[in-house]
Amino acid sequence: VLAVAGENGSCVSRDGGATWRALGGTWDNRVVVVGHGATYVLGSDQGLYVTHDGGASWQRGSLTPLVQSACFSGLALGWAANGSAVYRTTDAGASWTKVASGPNDRTNPNWYATLRCSGDTAWVLFIGGAAMNQEAYLGERTLDGGAHWQTLLSDPFFPSLPKGTIPIDAY
């Protein structure tokens, strides 16, 4: 399944891009398609949409905030993130649990999240805020399904972020 989105709408292809079908709704440029097995999740400014039939039909998922990045580690285990939070599902997107907060707040708005995962391990890189020719970043990792998070790196320029770094393992 392939999906594209832009200011004028979005389309999905189930045949490698030979033909495309328009999707309803208002979508933005932050659309991502992720999946493992038969489940695909399409993130948009309206939350998550889920398909269980290869993109023939889409249903609104239970996660409604903006999703900037998503990753599935298996048939049922998945992660989604935005600048304000990281979420985890263990039932293929039927329900989501917030497992971490992001740096997005009134003092530090407009953060963007990029997420990678492997099983119960997830890495998230938050990027946002720029001042005096610097861009803030915060990298965090969980090894236990989101129960505990560790800051791997951060930009010390912004005093509201955790400071310090530790060695980063491969992902």
Side-chain angles (χ1 to χ4, degrees):
V1 173
L2 301 173
V4 295
E7 295 174 3
N8 296 323
S10 59
C11 297
V12 64
S13 173
R14 295 178 58 208
D15 56 12
T19 61
W20 293 87
R21 180 174 59 87
L23 296 173
T26 303
W27 304 75
D28 69 5
N29 294 324
R30 290 183 286 243
V31 171
V32 293
V33 175
V34 297
H36 193 283
T39 303
Y40 295 89
V41 179
L42 184 64
S44 78
D45 60 347
Q46 301 173 12
L48 288 179
Y49 285 78
V50 181
T51 179
H52 297 282
D53 55 13
S57 63
W58 295 85
Q59 298 81 38
R60 184 159 180 119
S62 61
L63 185 59
T64 56
L66 165 72
V67 173
Q68 296 167 325
S69 187
C71 179
F72 268 77
S73 302
L75 294 175
L77 178 59
W79 303 82
N82 60 34
S84 299
V86 179
Y87 303 89
R88 182 175 186 245
T89 182
T90 57
D91 56 13
S95 63
W96 294 84
T97 302
K98 181 178 175 181
V99 293
S101 294
N104 228 10
D105 61 24
R106 289 183 187 176
T107 306
N108 303 299
N110 302 318
W111 284 79
Y112 188 86
T114 301
L115 182 67
R116 299 293 182 265
C117 63
S118 178
D120 277 340
T121 301
W123 300 262
V124 62
L125 177 62
F126 297 104
I127 297 175
M132 297 177 59
N133 207 24
Q134 292 196 23
E135 184 171 49
Y137 55 84
L138 174 63
E140 296 186 328
R141 171 188 69 184
T142 181
L143 300 172
D144 58 7
H148 301 92
W149 289 83
Q150 184 176 28
T151 298
L152 301 175
L153 63 142
S154 66
D155 182 336
F157 179 76
F158 292 87
S160 62
L161 294 179
K163 292 176 177 46
T165 62
I166 61 170
I168 300 174
D169 57 1
Y171 70 84

